[in-house]
Structure formats: C-alpha cells, structure tokens
Amino acid sequence: MDVGELLNYQPDRGAKRLRDDDDDDPRSKKVGRELARRLERDDGEDPSGDRKKILEKLMDDDEDADDQEGEPVDESSVKKMILTFEKRSYKNQELRIKFPDTPGRFMETELDLNDIIQEMHVIATMPDLYHLLVELNAVHSLLGLLSHENTDIAIAVVDLLQELTDIDTLHESEEGAEVLIDSLLEGQVVALLVQNMERLDEQVKEEADGVYNTLAIIENMAEFRPGLCTEAAQQGLMQWLLKRIKVFKRHNPATAEEQEMMENLFDALCSCLMLAANRDRFLRGEGLQLMNLMLREKKMSRTSALKVLDHGMIGPEGSDNCHKFVDILGLRTIFPLFMKTPKKMRKAGTVDKEHEEHVCSIIASCLRNLKAQQRTRLLSKFTENDCEKVDRLMELHFKYLEAVQLADKRIEGEKHDMVKRGEILDDVMEDEFYLRRLDAGLFVLQLLCYIMVEISNSGISQLQQRVHQILNLRGGSVKVVRHIMREYAENIGDGKSEEFKESEQKRIMDLLENF
C-alpha cells in the first residue's frame, strides 16, 4: 500500500442527509489528498517515522468510531467534543507553523482534526445545544478553518455548517438557531465562504460538493432570516453569482444540478429587476450587453437571458433600458427570435409559449417606451422584406387566438354543466378558469394584439394596411382585437399609483379608436 492509498483511507462516520443525485456519502472527504501530493514531492525518507503511526491510527479508526457511537450525546459530551476540537485545531496550527515544509510532521494532527470535525455532526441532532458552540468559541474556530491551507479541512467545515444550518433543524429550536446564526453573521461567515469557494476546483468532486454545500448554507440562513440577503450581497456573494452567470454566456451547464443552479441565478436576477432602482444598476452594469451576447451565443442560457431582458425592459421604469437595447443593436438579435421560434431545447425544458411570450413582451415594451429615432428604427423593422414581420405577427395572433377560444369553449361548457347541477360559481373557481385561459396563451395573445394596435397607429400606412388585409383574408375581426385589448386594459395593475393605471388605460383606449 503506497502512501497515497494510505492517506486516502477514511472510515465510515455514519449516515448524513444526501443530495438527491448522490450515491456516495458527501462527508467521505479525503483529507489526506493534499498531504499525499506534498509527500510524493519529498525526496527523502520520513525522519520522524510518522507514517507508521498514521497507518496504525487509520486501522484503528473504525473500532474507535464504533465505541463513540455507543456514547450518549448530552451537554457534557458536547462540551468534551468541542474541547477536543479546539485542542486538535490548535495543535495542527502550531505544527503547520513550525514545520511548514514537512507535512509528515503535522499530517497526524490533520487527520485528527478532520475526525473530530466529522464527529461534531452529531451536534446537529441537538439544536438546543447550539449555544455551547458559541459560548465555547467553537463557531469562531470553525470559521477560521475555512481558510485552512488544506482545502479538505475547509470543505469538512463547510459540510458541518451545512448540516448545522439545515432549515428543518433550525426550526426545531428557534432559540438555539438564533444564537448560532447571530454568531456566524458576526464572524462574517458569507465573506469567508465566498473566499473559500473562489479557491475550489469544481473539476474535483469533493470540491464541487463543497461549493454545493456552501450555497446550501447561505440558502438555509436566508430562509431562516431573509434580512441577511443584503448583508450577504455586500460580502461578495453577488459578485460571485454574477461571475457564475457570465460563465454561462458561452458554456452550457454540465449537469442537471448545474442547470438548475443556472436557472435559479437568472430567476434571482429577475426578482432583483422587479425593483425599479435596480433597473438603473442593471443598465450601468452593462447587463443588457451581457444578455444580448447570451442570446447570440445560442446556449442554454438564451431562454433565461430573454426572461431577464423582459423584466428589465417592461413598464415605464424600463424606458432607459429599452433605448439602450436599441443602441447596442439588440433589435438585430430579438427579431430573428421573433421570426422563428427555436426548436424545443429538451435539456433546458423550454417551450414555445414561454419563448414567444418573452420575445413579444420585449417588443411590446419597446413600442411602449421608445421615442424619436429609436422608435423609428423599431418600426422600420416591420417594413423590411415586404412586411414579413407583420406576417409573422398575424400568424402568431391566429395561433394563440385559436388556443384561447378552444379553452373558452371548454370553460363555458363546464360552467353550463355546473349551473345545471345547481352549483355556485365562486371566486376561487373563477380564478381557476382565468388561470386556465392564461395557460392557453391569453397573455401572449394580448401582447400580440397590443403590437398590432401600436404599429397600426405608427403613421406608416403600409403597416396598418397589411394588418387589416391579413385580418380580412384569415376571417379575423377588428372587433375581436378590440375586445382583447379592452380586457388587457382592465387587467393593468396600478403600478405606483392609481393615476398611472388610469392614464395607461386611457392611452390604450385612444389607440383602439384609430385601429
């Protein structure tokens, strides 16, 4: 058995909550990997004979673990465990400082330290004793180990913190949870976690697990105490997240887990853009340029980038972003996506309706917000190639009109049957019917009609004539379009004020007068 195999050995420490797609215990960290690599670079013999001691120790670990499993866990045993942890941590630090270039001198303390960290997982079963971790300064010591030279030790600490902060466990003892979270935040836990993540190599499974568990810690704490999200962003998490999104500009997620993370990152960005103040930050941070590049790269991130653009450009608060989007030649990107919906990307789980909704919403926002030269450039797109984009607009209109009409017929049939049975239609049932209409594509249909009405009021007779010509050829009706737009106007939210709602409704009704 060579030294690499020897140091890679790790006894089983019992069951732990697993990630859904993992068959291996994530806690089976190989703390000796770094030590083995360093030993292999050493030319001489081990002068201290520590290797033999390590071998004897490792072979006895299983027996020791079995003995410990039989011991009861109470306040006294937890205190003893924390004291052992502190001693081993100090001893390891002392020897690393004294013999920085001779791993054989401190390797045994490294293994001892890893062992006690694994044993401390049992504390997660007793959240009412979390106060001992704080009172005995163990939280401070654990946070200090996040910057340990051996990344395996840091990952072991991350694994422990992930289990200690499990959201179900935190809710078992609110008092214990509050004390632990307060101590972690006081120690700048997010900043330390982010610094540790930045040095991990996700091509190595153990280190990839470390990143996963790090994000789980932050998620757990944020769910228990939502107010810490602002503090987390200020401690470097936001920069790390944005950096991860930019990776996805040219590279698809490698796993389903990474794909889920990518989608969650984009959803978080969309949520941020719901706050008007963040629209300006998104503009100044060149978020529009990044999303536009992602659309052109045709990777899995394309659908998510469309969603972000939609959130950033919608409403009057998105006016500046709409103008900037035209300036960066975004129309050259968005209209090809409007003209042809990409085939379903099975891995990304996208559907035609979702894609078409975001594209149409972006175009509608531009028509709503653009002024002067930028608006002229947008309208000229509809006149290109013998008004082919108007033809596509009308094609989509009839597609969604038919889908919504079929849904309405089924709903009316169900309502008729309910009346015959003497059942009362309550608000809950009406809401359900409306949701079914939305699912059939009602909102996309409303967006398409809005675009039709806007370009018909553009002052370009060529566009208005083409819209009415196709309506007549396909058996469409101006009355139907007006009905849809009135329904759209009625459902407009009040935005910041009731005055905004009323003015927007009036603007739409004025457009309909000239349609």
Side-chain angles (χ1 to χ4, degrees), residues 32 71 135 170 173 248 270 375:
E71 296 179 3
E135 293 168 4
L170 293 179
S173 174
F248 293 123
C270 289
R375 181 177 177 81

Side-chain angles (χ1 to χ4, degrees), residues 32-62:
R33 286 186 295 115
E34 181 177 308
L35 295 174
R37 289 195 296 268
R38 296 183 64 177
L39 279 172
E40 288 169 359
R41 294 196 298 266
D42 289 349
D43 296 326
E45 295 290 331
D46 181 3
S48 66
D50 282 336
R51 295 181 181 181
K52 183 176 179 181
K53 295 179 182 178
I54 299 300
L55 175 60
E56 293 173 353
K57 178 186 181 303
L58 290 175
M59 293 308 177
D60 290 338
D61 268 347
D62 280 334

